[in-house]
Amino acid sequence: MINVIRTKDYEEASDKAFEVMKEYLRPGKVLGLATGSTPLGLYARMVKDHQENGTSYKEIRSFNLDEYVGLPITHPESYYAFMHHNLFDHIDIPEENTHVPSGLGEDLEAQARHYDEMIDACPVDIQLLGIGSDGHIAFNEPGTPFDSGTHVTDLAESTIRDNCRFFDNDITKVPTQAVTQGIGTIMKAKAILLIATGSNKAKAVKEMLEGPIDVSCPASILQKHENVTVIIDEDAAALLG
Ligand code: F6R
């Protein structure tokens, strides 16, 4: 079941997302985390709450959705660096409790299978998601099978264009592949929290919520999950019936 929360703008969406997330900021919980522009407001609120209220992450574990293939963790645009810069370095989560898939290694598919095994052993309580303008979740682009596990994938051209802004607006610098949790992996999370803001997400939001469940819109599979909260702002909701 999808519970849709409509908000005015990005700031209010981030406030609502924090309200949902706050319930999970307790010892023993396992958070599924995302990168990109969408969760920045939520992460800022988690950092503020840690600093002002002392909410502790010492006994919380986390699994990130994805990582670019070929970027070392020292690259400022690696998702490992993103998570440290925007969240992990400002809260008290132990490094060994955090997991970001590696985009480097001899056998990325074997590493991907190992990542799924770790998640199976430590099920995610709440998975945070953004959505791509093409309806992708994590880097599961249109056409990805709904039962996929963590795998290496080619990024869609629209995704490469969308992410150009993080790579000096130079398309040749954007990695073309990623390691991503599969849709099957994401669907195992006990609860899902998806945030979508801005008009470039409106079409994907409409297909996710009102379209058929079809691999052409990967996020449409969320209609089948039993506990999903979708937080959208006015711009992202603009095409809803
Ligand atoms: C990031 C991720 C992606 C983004 C999506 C939206 O870990 O998995 O699916 O959530 O591309 O990106 P932003 O938030 O930058 O619009």
Side-chain angles (χ1 to χ4, degrees):
M1 216 207 68
I2 301 187
N3 173 32
V4 180
I5 300 176
R6 290 182 180 232
T7 63
K8 191 163 66 64
D9 56 17
Y10 179 74
E11 292 306 319
E12 197 186 331
S14 302
D15 286 340
K16 290 282 174 204
F18 180 68
E19 272 174 36
V20 175
M21 185 56 91
K22 183 94 181 80
E23 297 300 310
Y24 292 86
L25 303 182
R26 287 188 273 128
K29 290 293 181 195
V30 182
L31 311 181
L33 300 177
T35 57
S37 308
T38 304
L40 288 174
L42 169 60
Y43 292 162
R45 283 156 180 77
M46 289 164 71
V47 169
K48 188 165 180 275
D49 166 66
H50 168 71
Q51 289 168 347
E52 291 179 358
N53 305 318
T55 300
S56 176
Y57 292 74
K58 282 198 176 126
E59 290 174 54
I60 286 177
R61 283 167 292 179
S62 71
F63 287 91
N64 262 79
L65 286 171
D66 39 23
E67 179 61 282
Y68 290 117
V69 167
L71 292 196
I73 60 175
T74 49
H75 191 291
E77 292 306 332
S78 73
Y79 285 167
Y80 177 94
F82 175 102
M83 288 309 301
H84 280 262
H85 182 70
N86 292 298
L87 185 65
F88 298 155
D89 290 352
H90 313 290
I91 58 177
D92 61 348
I93 194 163
E95 165 78 14
E96 64 271 22
N97 287 11
T98 67
H99 305 86
V100 181
S102 172
L104 292 179
E106 299 262 297
D107 189 343
L108 290 179
E109 289 295 351
Q111 289 172 208
R113 283 194 297 279
H114 177 60
Y115 201 70
D116 274 339
E117 285 163 12
M118 286 196 293
I119 292 175
D120 282 342
C122 191
V124 170
D125 289 296
I126 185 161
Q127 177 64 57
L128 176 63
L129 296 176
I131 184 170
S133 59
D134 63 357
H136 71 226
I137 47 175
F139 277 132
N140 294 286
E141 300 287 13
T144 308
F146 284 146
D147 62 356
S148 53
T150 300
H151 61 284
V152 179
T153 187
D154 294 331
L155 301 185
E157 261 196 58
S158 59
T159 303
I160 293 173
R161 267 198 313 275
D162 285 349
N163 289 356
C164 217
R165 66 192 194 279
F166 299 115
F167 293 87
D168 306 327
N169 280 318
D170 179 351
I171 204 151
T172 64
K173 289 189 183 166
V174 188
T176 56
Q177 285 191 311
V179 180
T180 180
Q181 280 190 31
I183 297 175
T185 317
I186 292 168
M187 289 292 282
K188 286 184 192 167
K190 293 176 204 161
I192 289 178
L193 170 61
L194 185 146
I195 311 168
T197 60
S199 51
N200 70 325
K201 303 292 172 71
K203 183 169 167 284
V205 164
K206 185 177 176 63
E207 284 173 5
M208 164 176 67
L209 296 176
E210 296 178 351
I213 300 173
D214 189 82
V215 292
S216 61
C217 176
S220 64
I221 191 64
L222 299 179
Q223 293 175 29
K224 282 208 168 163
H225 193 283
E226 61 186 27
N227 183 359
V228 183
T229 303
V230 168
I231 301 177
I232 46 177
D233 73 352
E234 281 173 7
D235 290 340
L239 299 176
L240 292 178

